[in-house]
């Protein structure tokens, strides 16, 4: 979920989709291969990522509320809440 958000952010600031994808995929694979790794920490320590995204902005990209922002609207539309 978060890798897509980071990818979209990089593309929005002018990084080519291919370059962004390749770099994020490498980081994600590192995390997958070593379960004690943390994706967010790996992003923060990666030179390519930090060249474009500040530590503060990485934290913002990992805010779960972004993904929950429309929950009430959706629940209202399907009649689960009034």
């Amino acid at each position: 979920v978060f890798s897509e958000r980071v990818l979209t952010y990089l593309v929005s600031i002018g990084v080519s989709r291919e370059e962004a994808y390749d770099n994020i995929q490498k980081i994600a694979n590192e995390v997958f291969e070593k379960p004690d790794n943390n994706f967010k920490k790996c992003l923060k320590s990666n030179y390519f990522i930090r060249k474009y995204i500040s530590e503060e902005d990485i934290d913002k990209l990992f805010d779960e509320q972004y993904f929950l922002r429309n929950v009430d609207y959706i629940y209202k539309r399907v009649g689960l809440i009034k």
Side-chain angles (χ1 to χ4, degrees):
V1 171
F2 294 111
S3 62
E4 179 182 346
R5 187 131 191 251
V6 175
L7 173 68
T8 302
Y9 181 81
L10 286 168
V11 171
S12 77
I13 61 171
V15 178
S16 77
R17 186 168 200 80
E18 294 78 18
E19 186 177 21
Y21 178 84
D22 288 345
N23 281 279
I24 292 171
Q25 186 178 36
K26 287 177 192 172
I27 297 167
N29 284 334
E30 288 174 20
V31 172
F32 182 76
E33 291 172 6
K34 295 183 181 180
D36 59 324
N37 278 344
N38 176 293
F39 186 60
K40 186 176 181 181
K41 286 181 185 178
C42 289
L43 287 172
K44 288 181 176 184
S45 66
N46 182 276
Y47 175 76
F48 173 82
I49 298 297
R50 290 304 306 277
K51 187 166 55 169
Y52 297 103
I53 310 176
S54 70
E55 191 168 324
E56 182 179 306
D57 285 339
I58 291 171
D59 289 335
K60 289 178 186 176
L61 292 171
F62 275 74
D63 181 10
E64 297 91 3
Q65 290 305 309
Y66 173 82
F67 299 102
L68 301 173
R69 69 190 185 279
N70 293 316
V71 169
D72 287 343
Y73 172 75
I74 293 166
Y75 281 6
K76 285 178 186 175
R77 290 238 6 213
V78 297
L80 294 175
I81 60 173
K82 294 182 182 190

